[in-house]
Amino acid sequence: MRKNGHRAPGSAPPRALRFPWNARSLAGQLMLVQLVLVVVLVAIAALALVLQSRNASTRDAQHRTRAVAETFARAPGTAQALDGKDPTAELQPRTEAVRNSADVDFVVVLNPEGIRYTDPAPSLIGKQADRSYRAALTEGAFTRTIPGVRGITVTSVVPVERGNGSIAGLVAAGVTVQRAQNTTAGELPALLGSAAGVLVLSAAGTVLVGRRLRRQTHGLGPAEMTRMYEHHDAVLHAVREGVLIVDDEGRLLLTNDEARRLLDLAPDDEGRLVAELDLESSVAALLTDRRPVSDAVRPSGDRLLVINVRLTDSPGGVSSSVATLRDTTELQAVTGRAEAARERLRLLHDAGARVGTTLDVRRTAREMTDVAVPRFADVATIDLSDPVLRGDEPDDSGKPLRRTAVTAVPQGTGPDGGSATFPVGEPVTAVRPAAHARALAEGEPVLVADLSEVPELIGGPERPGAGAGGATGPADAGRAERIHALGLVSLISVPVRARGRVLGLAEFWRTEASGPFDEDDLALAEELVGRTAVCIDNARRYTREHTTAVALQRSLLPGGLPDQDAVDAAYRYLPAQEAGVSGDWFDVIPLPGARVALVVGDVVGHGLHAAATMGRLRTAVHNFSALDLPPDELLGYLDELVGRIDDSGSAGSAQVSGAACLYAVYDPASGRCTVATNGLPTPALVLPDGTVSFPDIPVSPPLGLGGEPFETATLELPEGSRLVLFTKGLIREYHRDPDVGLAALRDALAGVPDAGPEETCQAIVDAMVGPRPRDDITLLVAATRRMDSDHVAEWAVPSDPSAVAPVRAEVAGRLGSWGLADLGFATELILSELVTNAIRYATGPVRVRLLRARSLICEVSDGSPTAPHLRRAAMTDEGGRGLYLVSQFAERWGTRYPERGKVVWTEQSLEPPATPTEELSDEDLLDQWDDLE
């Protein structure tokens, strides 16, 4: 109630949305929209009128100029004036009179060449007009809007024809566009006034419509209208979800048909308290707790519902809640199957990434069981045949498989969760009707969803007393009891098959808590085992090749160190753990004269090719050393051999170039060591006082490159010195920088100053080599010995045959002092033959050296490089039998070539030999003797 314009006390305040032009009300917003539309329409209408008026003015200008031009062109006397003496004098006044009377901007008369005879601007008379007028000469009269000296004009051009039809000239009349538009501008006030009147009338109508709409909507704003629409729309159109409205007292106000179906509500349940309805307690609690709920999953009978609850405020101030229900029973099942499928794909992906990371059969099998447990099974086992484990082809001998890998979820039976039931390494029988026997016999996987129904399908490991001949023995029965004790209720047995051959069997077990296996699990197990079978077969083939390569390499390496007196030696050969066999090798080769050759070598690469190449090079070194070549010459021949091997190799075969070798010859009589190396590090030298050094030895390029001479270095080694030879793998294993590796080797040697060769090797390995070397390592340590001077005798022999007898006497005396008088006869025969040959066939000086070492060594040197050759003398030959006697009395003999001349040497065992004199008569012996005495 209002009095005098004021609101009466106690009356309700007016609504904020009372006036229709208030933009917050629906009526006000509608009125504004209508006003905008009216303004736009009026503006469009005014624009259309202006454009129409302008078009009309333009058309009027076209008609007017055309009429003026045609009238003037056809006027009597126009053509005669153009043909007269002074057309300008006659036509200029007439054109100006016509222009003024016709209200045009210009009337211009032109001759056919476009020269102006008349023009409102006298300055333009006599000048050339625009070329656009010439179109009238060929096309006839025309009217166009063209640019000109006066701006853009509506121009009409009409030809002036003579009586005979020829053209005497042209008449052009025009009105500028600006002048035509000025006419239209005068009409705009009237147009705008009309538009304003229409706008006022439309606004008044809009206000009236807005007031009426306000009364019909009770002043509600758009948000309130939208909320009301959403409530009704949820009830009427959300047919796929159940909708319930519950007030703040927990009373059910409204439900739709879907909600009644999902909750089994009766139509008359509306208006009752939710607590009185026959609903699941968890569902009723969500509907009455008066708090928002999002995607709560609750069971309702045999359905699984997703419930959402939102709180709302009604216009009257009474709050309520709206709940939506969605049946996800089928969706949940589909989602579960999809999630299971995704988990299977993830399992297969992980198996591809984790199984087969190494080429070891047992580790590959263990990787598969580790992947399967616990994501797929509670216990997983793999049994493989013994040939597969050795790397051989599987056989069909019927021998038991051997349990290779087991992984189990702990079930309270020990740390391995069933290791007593599934022991690794034991043979596993395949006795029917056990599941694994069926799988092996038929070559197809076997699924046993429930073992309790068929307990006889559980097999067991082979033990004394196990059943045979098609029946399950007592051991199997005991194993079945242990399996049931573990709670294993379901089994899948899958043959491990690759390239059509069965390698073994994989089995998967589940407990009751994990649920039984189904057909989908069987397909997954087949895929998992199929991938594993390929990896196991690759590992088996690698094992076979690796075993072959290792056997080849071991057969090519020295089985032990030979007996010799020059050095005490020890070695270490450590192959790379991951790369397989390689081409590293070492040798200690006894040489004539109690000397010894120390060799280490390295062939680039790994595998059978490297091992075979190593064997070829090691054999070549042995053959070349038999010739007693100096180290540089030996490496030169070895370099040529490598080049020939590379040149004769088949296309695509690996090259040997890059192989390296170090060859050292040590003479215990002189204490000198001659060393040559190509591609290998300089050896380390440990003197008796513990000083460690790396002698400056020229390093030549690797073998096979050619073109560079090999150089040697000669070292004077005191007795007890240690020479440490090694391949690059030793320093590379310690550090990538060779200098750092050499420094570590120096420190390791300095730490054991008084150690023997064996202790030195172990100290170096402990200090510099890890548990799994990345590269092959060859280490050879040689502690030098010096021969006692009393065990060396040397004589110079004059080049006279008569000098042989005194030398024989001296030798006999020295043998007597050494306690070797029993060797005197054979030794005298040998020296007599060798010295006589040197005097007769060679040049001086001739020297004799006698060495007492592990054997008795006789050496005769001369200045000739010609070597003696053993042959069988004919009956008519006077000589040629001496070397035959030498070969009979000596265990070994040969020739070596020092820097000058040659040395013929023999070796005799210190044990008294059975001489051939017992078998030969005196006459036969004298017939074969070739002494000059």
Side-chain angles (χ1 to χ4, degrees):
M1 297 291 294
R2 286 180 176 273
K3 294 182 180 180
N4 299 326
H6 299 282
R7 179 170 57 86
S11 61
R15 292 181 179 271
L17 305 176
R18 182 172 183 79
F19 300 104
W21 50 84
N22 192 323
R24 296 181 59 187
S25 68
L26 181 62
Q29 293 182 2
L30 181 60
M31 186 190 73
L32 292 177
V33 172
Q34 289 179 342
L35 287 176
V36 171
L37 291 176
V38 168
V39 171
V40 172
L41 291 175
V42 170
I44 292 174
L47 179 61
L49 289 173
V50 171
L51 294 177
Q52 183 178 3
S53 176
R54 289 187 176 182
N55 289 336
S57 300
T58 302
R59 287 194 299 272
D60 177 66
Q62 292 174 347
H63 293 316
R64 193 183 338 150
T65 57
R66 185 65 173 265
V68 171
E70 288 181 350
T71 300
F72 194 86
R74 294 182 177 87
T78 302
Q80 291 79 1
L82 286 171
D83 292 334
K85 295 181 178 180
D86 191 1
T88 301
E90 293 185 21
L91 295 177
Q92 177 69 12
R94 292 169 57 185
T95 57
E96 287 301 304
V98 171
R99 181 179 67 81
N100 293 329
S101 61
D103 195 19
V104 295
D105 287 307
F106 63 87
V107 177
V108 177
V109 179
L110 311 169
N111 67 3
E113 287 75 21
I115 303 301
R116 300 175 188 265
Y117 285 153
T118 67
D119 195 282
S123 61
L124 297 178
I125 295 174
K127 295 184 177 181
Q128 182 73 38
D130 189 89
R131 293 181 178 271
S132 59
Y133 292 108
R134 294 184 178 182
L137 296 174
T138 58
E139 301 175 3
F142 65 83
T143 301
R144 297 176 182 172
T145 301
I146 59 178
V149 295
R150 297 171 179 82
I152 299 175
T153 61
V154 179
T155 304
S156 297
V157 180
V158 178
V160 180
E161 297 180 357
R162 298 185 180 92
N164 58 5
S166 61
I167 297 176
L170 301 172
V171 177
V175 176
T176 63
V177 174
Q178 183 178 3
R179 183 172 182 178
Q181 291 177 351
N182 289 338
T183 304
T184 303
E187 301 175 359
L188 286 178
L191 292 175
L192 295 178
S194 300
V198 172
L199 181 61
V200 171
L201 291 177
S202 299
T206 300
V207 171
L208 293 177
V209 172
R211 286 185 176 181
R212 184 171 181 82
L213 181 62
R214 182 184 60 81
R215 288 195 298 271
Q216 290 180 351
T217 59
H218 303 286
L220 294 177
E224 294 168 324
M225 293 293 293
T226 302
R227 188 180 299 113
M228 181 181 295
Y229 172 80
E230 290 175 347
H231 288 174
H232 288 282
D233 186 73
V235 174
L236 297 176
H237 301 291
V239 294
R240 297 298 302 272
E241 291 188 355
V243 178
L244 302 93
I245 300 179
V246 181
D247 63 13
D248 56 351
E249 296 179 354
R251 192 178 303 277
L252 185 62
L253 300 180
L254 181 66
T255 61
N256 66 349
D257 294 339
E258 182 69 9
R260 297 190 188 98
R261 185 185 72 83
L262 296 177
L263 297 178
D264 296 327
L265 298 177
D268 57 353
D269 284 341
E270 293 184 0
R272 297 175 59 187
L273 294 174
V274 174
E276 298 176 356
L277 302 177
D278 187 16
L279 300 178
E280 296 285 347
S281 59
S282 59
V283 176
L286 288 180
L287 298 177
T288 57
D289 279 351
R290 309 296 301 165
R291 58 184 179 84
V293 176
S294 297
D295 295 333
V297 180
R298 297 292 185 273
S300 178
D302 57 352
R303 299 184 179 91
L304 195 63
L305 303 180
V306 175
I307 303 176
N308 290 275
V309 179
R310 295 293 182 269
L311 303 180
T312 62
D313 291 330
S314 64
V318 179
S319 62
S320 61
S321 62
V322 178
T324 60
L325 312 175
R326 186 169 68 254
D327 188 1
T328 62
T329 305
E330 296 181 0
L331 180 61
Q332 195 74 12
V334 173
T335 303
R337 289 194 294 270
E339 182 61 30
R342 284 194 296 270
E343 179 59 29
R344 291 188 180 99
L345 288 177
R346 284 194 292 266
L347 179 62
L348 291 177
H349 176 270
D350 292 346
R354 295 172 53 186
V355 177
T357 58
T358 65
L359 291 173
D360 180 84
V361 174
R362 289 177 173 81
R363 184 170 177 179
T364 300
R366 179 62 189 234
E367 288 171 344
M368 194 282 286
T369 59
D370 289 344
V371 169
V373 177
R375 297 168 61 181
F376 178 68
D378 295 311
V379 178
T381 66
I382 289 187
D383 309 326
L384 300 175
S385 64
D386 288 335
V388 172
L389 295 174
R390 293 193 303 267
D392 299 330
E393 291 285 345
D395 56 24
D396 300 326
S397 61
K399 292 183 179 180
L401 303 178
R402 192 168 301 277
R403 184 129 295 161
T404 307
V406 176
T407 300
V409 175
Q411 299 288 338
T413 60
D416 295 332
S419 60
T421 306
F422 304 96
V424 174
E426 290 198 15
V428 179
T429 59
V431 181
R432 283 184 177 274
H436 57 286
R438 286 175 47 194
L440 288 175
E442 300 171 5
E444 297 293 335
V446 175
L447 167 63
V448 184
D450 189 355
L451 290 172
S452 62
E453 297 180 358
V454 280
E456 65 274 8
L457 293 182
I458 304 176
E462 186 178 32
R463 303 177 190 272
T472 303
D476 290 329
R479 182 169 179 268
E481 293 178 359
R482 290 190 294 272
I483 288 176
H484 286 301
L486 289 174
L488 302 178
V489 298
S490 190
L491 166 66
I492 290 179
S493 295
V494 183
V496 181
R497 181 190 298 272
R499 297 184 298 110
R501 304 293 299 273
V502 176
L503 309 179
L505 185 75
E507 290 188 312
F508 305 94
W509 307 76
R510 278 186 183 175
T511 62
E512 186 175 358
S514 300
F517 290 112
D518 55 22
E519 293 296 332
D520 291 338
D521 296 323
L522 180 62
L524 176 61
E526 287 186 81
E527 179 67 21
L528 183 60
V529 174
R531 296 187 180 191
T532 304
V534 174
C535 297
I536 289 177
D537 190 54
N538 290 339
R540 177 195 65 79
R541 298 172 69 179
Y542 170 79
T543 300
R544 180 183 61 189
E545 295 178 2
H546 182 71
T547 302
T548 303
V550 169
L552 173 62
Q553 184 190 37
R554 295 299 184 187
S555 67
L556 296 176
L557 287 175
L561 298 180
D563 294 333
Q564 41 79 36
D565 297 323
V567 295
D568 289 328
Y571 67 91
R572 292 291 186 276
Y573 173 73
L574 305 175
Q577 294 299 313
E578 301 295 336
V581 297
S582 71
D584 283 17
W585 88 91
F586 66 93
D587 259 316
V588 177
I589 305 174
L591 297 178
R595 296 168 305 138
V596 67
L598 306 175
V599 188
V600 291
D602 184 8
V603 175
V604 294
H606 296 83
L608 284 175
H609 176 78
T613 302
M614 177 268 289
R616 298 172 72 177
L617 296 183
R618 179 170 177 256
T619 301
V621 170
H622 271 270
N623 292 335
F624 292 146
S625 66
L627 300 177
D628 208 352
L629 299 175
D632 54 341
E633 292 186 22
L634 185 143
L635 292 184
Y637 284 118
L638 198 63
D639 181 72
E640 293 181 9
L641 174 63
V642 171
R644 288 196 299 271
I645 292 175
D646 286 343
D647 293 340
S648 62
S650 59
S653 62
Q655 298 292 298
V656 184
S657 298
C661 181
L662 186 148
Y663 188 83
V665 176
Y666 174 68
D667 186 354
S670 63
R672 294 188 181 90
C673 181
T674 305
V675 185
T677 178
N678 59 337
L680 286 182
T682 299
L685 175 61
V686 184
L687 297 178
D689 60 359
T691 303
V692 181
S693 64
F694 294 93
D696 186 12
I697 298 175
V699 179
S700 302
L703 295 173
L705 300 183
E708 294 290 337
F710 294 94
E711 301 182 48
T712 61
T714 301
L715 308 177
E716 296 288 343
L717 303 182
E719 184 175 5
S721 300
R722 282 172 289 167
L723 196 61
V724 181
L725 287 68
F726 53 91
T727 56
K728 294 180 180 179
L730 179 65
I731 55 179
R732 286 177 179 171
E733 172 70 14
Y734 185 81
H735 199 277
R736 293 180 180 271
D737 188 349
D739 294 335
V740 177
L742 292 176
L745 177 60
R746 182 192 300 271
D747 294 340
L749 293 173
V752 285
D754 300 325
E758 186 66 33
E759 293 79 5
T760 303
C761 284
Q762 192 59 46
I764 294 174
V765 171
D766 293 342
M768 302 185 62
V769 182
R772 298 182 64 83
R774 293 167 294 179
D775 197 2
D776 307 291
I777 297 173
T778 299
L779 177 64
L780 179 63
V781 178
T784 62
R785 299 174 182 170
R786 292 294 293 272
M787 186 173 292
D788 192 342
S789 59
D790 292 338
H791 290 177
V792 179
E794 190 170 0
W795 299 273
V797 181
S799 296
D800 185 353
S802 62
V804 175
V807 171
R808 290 170 58 182
E810 291 286 342
V811 169
R814 181 56 60 96
L815 291 179
S817 65
W818 287 347
L820 301 177
D822 294 339
L823 299 178
F825 178 75
T827 305
E828 289 181 32
L829 289 178
I830 291 172
L831 284 177
S832 295
E833 174 60 27
L834 296 182
V835 172
T836 301
N837 284 343
I839 294 174
R840 177 180 294 180
Y841 302 110
T843 61
V846 179
R847 298 188 66 85
V848 174
R849 188 170 72 160
L850 201 64
L851 304 175
R852 179 182 179 180
R854 187 175 297 270
S855 60
L856 180 62
I857 302 170
C858 299
E859 295 180 348
V860 177
S861 62
D862 57 55
S864 173
T866 304
H869 297 283
L870 178 65
R871 64 185 179 88
R872 184 175 294 276
M875 295 296 294
T876 58
D877 290 343
E878 295 183 0
R881 299 174 180 82
L883 288 180
Y884 175 77
L885 287 176
V886 170
S887 65
Q888 293 298 311
F889 283 96
E891 287 188 347
R892 298 171 58 224
W893 75 279
T895 306
R896 71 172 186 270
Y897 298 89
E899 295 181 359
R900 182 176 178 274
K902 67 176 180 293
V903 176
V904 181
W905 57 268
T906 64
E907 289 186 4
Q908 298 169 262
S909 174
L910 298 183
E911 298 295 331
T915 62
T917 55
E918 298 176 358
E919 302 175 0
L920 297 175
S921 63
D922 296 340
E923 291 77 7
D924 293 335
L925 184 59
L926 291 176
D927 288 341
Q928 296 184 14
W929 186 244
D930 195 18
D931 202 337
L932 295 180
E933 292 185 301

